[in-house]
Amino acid sequence: MMAKTKPPPSAPPLVAPAAISVRVLFFASVADLMGERRRNLRLTAGATVADALRDMAIDVPELAARAPHVSFAVNESFVSADAPLSNGDELAVIPPVSGG
């Protein structure tokens, strides 16, 4: 009779980082730059407004140059670029407005 050997320990299952879905709204010249007025974006949980901008700048590199000059709102409240995003949030990217 053969001795029973223990099976090797199994590796812990790989778990993908949680993802969140954010709706992004673009206004005025930013909408022109992006070529659209809205976009749905999937980000890693814990992402910030700055992370969302970095992600979108992959497709539209000119967005990175505009980022210091735009305002952001999450769910209709103005925020800074380090504001965290949550699943289902609405992020608005608003360029400076001038007029008289």
Side-chain angles (χ1 to χ4, degrees):
M1 183 180 231
M2 296 185 71
K4 288 187 175 182
T5 58
K6 289 173 83 176
S10 60
L14 294 177
V15 178
I20 60 171
S21 181
V22 175
R23 182 179 181 190
V24 185
L25 304 178
F26 306 110
F27 293 92
S29 62
V30 177
D32 295 338
L33 174 68
M34 298 302 291
E36 59 190 343
R37 297 226 174 264
R38 68 193 63 167
R39 173 185 290 193
N40 291 321
L41 196 59
R42 282 190 73 70
L43 300 164
T44 303
T48 64
V49 170
D51 295 326
L53 286 177
R54 254 190 310 279
D55 192 64
M56 291 183 289
I58 292 169
D59 294 334
V60 183
E62 298 85 5
L63 181 61
R66 296 251 186 121
H69 309 289
V70 298
S71 296
F72 311 105
V74 174
N75 302 327
E76 300 182 8
S77 294
F78 284 101
V79 298
S80 62
D82 62 350
L85 295 168
S86 298
N87 191 49
D89 279 350
E90 182 177 82
L91 167 62
V93 183
I94 308 161
V97 178
S98 65

